[in-house]
Amino acid sequence: MTLADLYQSDGCTISFELFPPKTDEGIDLLCQNVERLLRFQPQYFTCTYGAGGSSQRATLEVLKRVKEITQLPVASHLTCVGSTVDQLCDYLQKATEMGVDYIVALRGDPPKGTDQFEQTSGGLQYANELVELIGKKFPDLGVAVAGYPEVHQEAPDAKTDLDNLKRKVDAGADIVITQLFYDNADFYRFRDDCQKAGIDIPIVPGVLPVTNFKQAQRIAGMCKAAIPANLEAAMTAVESAEDQFHVGVEHARQQTIDLMANGVPGIHYYVLNKSDAAAELLDGLSIQGPVS
């Protein structure tokens, strides 16, 4: 099935995002968690890589292992940071040869220590250019792009951010996967704005089950994701790590239930290479994705 086909059923397509561990022990543990997540019938897994492409090789190795374990499609992140067009094509060729099915095409964040993206000489400046490159050189790869319910931190306003997303969609993206958010109202407003802008491909919400308040604060600061007052109050009202875990997971579970009730085509979970939180929030929910 193509990436777009995965979202054409009446069910809710589930996918999980991973990142490459730094040790062999970490990879073994990741694979164990992937096996646990299989009982929730995900349709594919994605994997990020380090800033500036520092773990690209590890990303492909992880995806190869995941595909062997799951027999499911896999998607690699790819950014424009620090790469020429030739280097991007080289990575895409290697990814294709290793069995990668889809690409999450991103401009990428500025390198650590800088606050502004700089185009590499001979490289690309915008994500829509990367989408166009993939469509031209590697047309068999499905393409996902990022959307920002609370506006990308570098965008001057919501309209500019939406215009940028429209360019990525018009360049040939199959789906939009959103940045994480804690308040579903932000997603619904974003979805409505996308529809008004003529973006008619699936808009897939990205959900991160936070397991402690410090984590929620750190991620909110990185991603410009506001923490709702009710979540902050609930997490600060308990002291133990176990209680904070259950509060955060329950919030993500309620997000999931509400998103499904409001007709999302799928949900992409940022699981941070673990399975406990995802297992708790998904346990008992009736989720039916497309039939392969």
Side-chain angles (χ1 to χ4, degrees), residues 9-22:
S9 77
D10 293 332
C12 182
T13 295
I14 296 300
S15 54
F16 296 116
E17 180 170 298
L18 313 169
F19 64 86
K22 295 181 180 179

Side-chain angles (χ1 to χ4, degrees), residues 49 70 82 99-100 142 168 200 243 247 288 290:
Y49 60 71
T70 67
V100 169
K168 292 187 285 188
D200 58 3
D243 286 343
V247 167
Q288 179 62 54

